[in-house]
Amino acid sequence: MKKIILLAFALALSFSSCEKDDICDANTPTTPRLVIGFYDFLNPSVLKNVTNLKVISEGMTDGIIFNASSTGDSKYLTNGSTISIPLKTNEDTTSYSFILNSGNTNPALVNQDNIKFDYTRADFFVSRACGFKTLFTLNTSNPYTHTDATIPDTKWIKYISVEKSNIDNENDTHIKIFF
């Protein structure tokens, strides 16, 4: 009987040292992405869908995956009116190539614009399980640089508007691109 009581006591002590698992809840806000809405240049209040837009970060060969369930190059293409793209958490600038009509068999219809976003970063502790998140603030004096390696008249992006310079969630549109 003493052995059973001793065994039960040892078992009880072993379970008393357990603690809650450190798993980051999927609903915990983490580092937000830059939300970009596309609008009609001639009618600025109307959202406009892009056609086969591919977004590639500087120094990368593959684009941002917009359709994870697709295969091949189609997973890098989007046809919506809004996208979310990540900013670098270890640098104060991020450059992207926005390629409209990517993959079109007629190269004259493929149009690429390059945009460099300039911002400041602030890291905030979320929890032991989730670690840190980075919040961004677009620089008010020069939040972006719109460049193109080709002829300036061929830019498909006509105008860029900063709607919200503080990037602290993905619920709001931060940038509007008119084309």
Side-chain angles (χ1 to χ4, degrees):
M1 184 70 169
K2 290 182 181 181
K3 289 182 181 180
I4 293 175
I5 293 174
L6 188 59
L7 182 63
F9 183 68
L11 211 80
L13 280 176
S14 67
F15 284 117
S16 68
S17 64
C18 293
E19 64 179 67
K20 182 181 165 192
D21 288 337
D22 279 343
I23 298 174
C24 186
D25 182 17
N27 296 323
T28 303
T30 57
T31 299
R33 295 173 293 173
L34 177 69
V35 179
I36 300 173
F38 296 96
Y39 288 82
D40 189 345
F41 181 69
L42 299 175
N43 192 356
S45 62
V46 176
L47 278 167
K48 185 176 178 182
N49 287 344
V50 290
T51 305
N52 291 333
L53 177 67
K54 185 175 186 178
V55 181
I56 303 173
S57 179
E58 181 180 57
M60 303 298 286
T61 54
D62 293 331
I64 294 174
I65 296 176
F66 292 112
N67 302 307
S69 60
S70 297
T71 59
D73 280 343
S74 62
K75 68 181 172 184
Y76 304 115
L77 302 177
T78 185
N79 292 301
S81 60
T82 304
I83 62 170
S84 297
I85 59 175
L87 296 174
K88 292 181 182 178
T89 58
N90 58 347
E91 294 181 28
D92 290 335
T93 63
T94 303
S95 296
Y96 282 106
S97 294
F98 288 75
I99 306 167
L100 190 65
N101 296 320
S102 179
N104 195 309
T105 55
N106 182 355
L109 297 178
V110 177
N111 202 328
Q112 176 177 328
D113 281 2
N114 301 314
I115 301 176
K116 178 179 170 184
F117 297 101
D118 189 26
Y119 49 85
T120 57
R121 303 167 279 131
D123 292 330
F124 293 95
F125 182 73
V126 176
S127 69
R128 193 171 79 184
C130 299
F132 286 85
K133 71 177 179 178
T134 303
L135 301 182
F136 307 96
T137 302
L138 293 170
N139 289 339
T140 54
S141 60
N142 189 25
Y144 62 88
T145 305
H146 181 201
T147 60
D148 193 355
T150 61
I151 304 166
D153 292 340
T154 63
K155 291 182 180 180
W156 67 274
I157 296 174
K158 304 298 182 199
Y159 179 70
I160 300 172
S161 169
V162 176
E163 297 300 306
K164 186 175 181 208
S165 61
N166 291 331
I167 302 167
D168 52 10
N169 66 59
E170 295 181 9
N171 300 329
D172 303 317
T173 299
H174 305 112
I175 300 279
K176 287 184 178 181
I177 292 180
F178 298 89
F179 71 104

